[in-house]
Every structure is written in structure tokens, then in C-alpha cells.
Amino acid sequence: SNNGPEPTIDPKLKSQGYRWCRTCRIVRPPRASHCSDCDNCVLRYDHHCPFVNNCVGQRNYHFFFGFITSVLLLAMLVIPSVMTYFSALNSEVTLNQMSQVSGSMWLLFYTVAAAGLLITIAAVLSCVLWSYHVFLIAAGKTTKEYRKSIPNVTEEPTLCASRGPPLFSPWVHVDPEAMVVPREQQRRSRRDYYY
């Protein structure tokens, strides 16, 4: 709901990376971004992940990195098992036995071979994804910052930074009006600054 005029953010806050979110109607901190899939602003927004159907950001990036590391390790454990299975087969004996096998066993053999190929492709792709995120962690950038060449204003690391304080406390009320400078006050301060 875009009701009312857009407030003006103090220039000092703007230079520190604070922005106004037109959708959520809040002042976004540095490195936060609005996710159109989740319809929420996310702190240290990295990307919306279709595999976990969730935004990846400040509070769950290390879980996401652990997830893709686990997927990579699992794929790396399955590939040698499949390769060992196929390499242990004696080709002459196998061909002799396969000629006497029913059609359903051929189907099983081809299914196992196709599954092995799919697992190999998935392992290569997960290795690429994992390597990309290792690169992003080393560079101290999020996916969005890297793809759009946005500078890391806070110079805060991506993976090993603190998760920050809890974002919701029922005992604290923050007045959003206190965070924005009214337009008239901003005009006065700008006029005083230039004259």
C-alpha cells in the first residue's frame, strides 16, 4: 500500500546506505533489499533461493552455505560408489550374463546408469554453486551486490558477521516517523547549508 508521500531520509543516513522501501514503507538498513517473491525486506539480502523456497540473507546465510556444502559432499560420496559399481563389473562376464537377462533387468541396468549420470551432473553443478559462494564469501559480497556491482558500504563480511540482535521484541516500540526527517526540516537544513 503506497499511501501518502514518500518521506525524505536524512542525507547522513543515506550516505551510510539507508534507503526507503516503497513496498514495505520502512527505512531499509544498508545491504538490505526487498524480495518480490517473499514480499519482505531482508537484511543483508543475498538472493531468493528456489531450492529452499526462502530468502537467503543475514540470519540464514550460514545455514544455506551449510546446505549446499552438504549437498556437494553427498554427491561426492555417491559418485565414487556408482563408479565403483560399474568398474567392478567384468565386461566379458557381464555381457555374457546380460544376454541371458530379462527385459526388466535391462530396464533396471539403464535406470541405474541414468541415475549415475544425473548424480554426476548434479555434483558438477553443486560444485559450481559452492565455488561461487566461496568466492562471494572471500570477496565479502552478496550475490546481489556482486551481480549489480553494488559496493559493500558497511565492509561487513557475508558469512562470519554477527547475525545481529533479534528483530522483533514485543516490549520495544520503534516509531518509524522518528527515523525520517520531515521534508520541511530537510529544506530548512539544506537552505542553511547552502547559504
Side-chain angles (χ1 to χ4, degrees), residues 15 25 32 96-97 150 174 176-177 181:
S15 69
R25 306 207 40 84
N96 186 24
Q97 290 175 344
I150 301 170
V174 177
E177 297 297 323
V181 178

Side-chain angles (χ1 to χ4, degrees), residues 90-136:
N90 185 337
S91 59
E92 289 180 23
V93 173
T94 303
L95 288 174
N96 186 24
Q97 290 175 344
M98 291 297 264
S99 64
Q100 300 166 4
V101 173
S102 66
S104 61
M105 287 305 286
W106 276 103
L107 179 64
L108 178 66
F109 178 77
Y110 287 129
T111 303
V112 169
L117 180 65
L118 286 175
I119 290 169
T120 304
I121 291 169
V124 168
L125 292 177
S126 63
C127 185
V128 169
L129 179 64
W130 186 83
S131 301
Y132 176 66
H133 279 279
V134 167
F135 164 75
L136 289 175

Side-chain angles (χ1 to χ4, degrees), residues 2-187:
N2 294 338
N3 300 337
E6 185 176 309
T8 306
I9 298 173
D10 184 89
K12 183 179 178 187
L13 286 175
K14 201 163 194 157
S15 69
Q16 294 173 353
Y18 288 85
R19 301 283 180 262
W20 175 255
C21 178
R22 291 183 183 111
T23 309
C24 296
R25 306 207 40 84
I26 61 169
V27 176
R28 279 196 313 242
R31 300 182 81 184
S33 186
H34 187 84
C35 175
S36 58
D37 294 316
C38 294
D39 197 29
N40 283 316
C41 282
V42 180
L43 291 172
R44 204 182 316 127
Y45 178 79
D46 190 84
H47 67 285
H48 183 88
C49 180
F51 303 111
V52 295
N53 192 28
N54 201 4
C55 282
V56 177
Q58 175 175 323
R59 300 185 68 76
N60 65 353
Y61 187 82
H62 58 285
F63 294 118
F64 172 75
F65 188 71
F67 169 70
I68 60 174
T69 302
S70 300
V71 168
L72 177 65
L73 292 175
L74 177 64
M76 292 301 168
L77 288 173
V78 171
I79 288 174
S81 302
V82 172
M83 296 302 179
T84 303
Y85 172 76
F86 283 115
S87 67
L89 298 175
N90 185 337
S91 59
E92 289 180 23
V93 173
T94 303
L95 288 174
N96 186 24
Q97 290 175 344
M98 291 297 264
S99 64
Q100 300 166 4
V101 173
S102 66
S104 61
M105 287 305 286
W106 276 103
L107 179 64
L108 178 66
F109 178 77
Y110 287 129
T111 303
V112 169
L117 180 65
L118 286 175
I119 290 169
T120 304
I121 291 169
V124 168
L125 292 177
S126 63
C127 185
V128 169
L129 179 64
W130 186 83
S131 301
Y132 176 66
H133 279 279
V134 167
F135 164 75
L136 289 175
I137 291 166
K141 289 186 169 272
T142 64
T143 302
K144 181 178 180 178
E145 290 169 345
Y146 179 74
R147 292 185 68 221
K148 295 192 174 194
S149 300
I150 301 170
N152 179 350
V153 179
T154 60
E155 294 299 324
E156 184 179 57
T158 306
L159 181 65
C160 298
S162 83
R163 293 181 65 201
L167 300 177
F168 175 74
S169 173
W171 298 280
V172 177
H173 175 72
V174 177
D175 182 16
E177 297 297 323
M179 296 187 69
V180 270
V181 178
R183 288 184 188 264
E184 186 58 39
Q185 185 182 352
Q186 187 180 24
R187 279 191 213 119

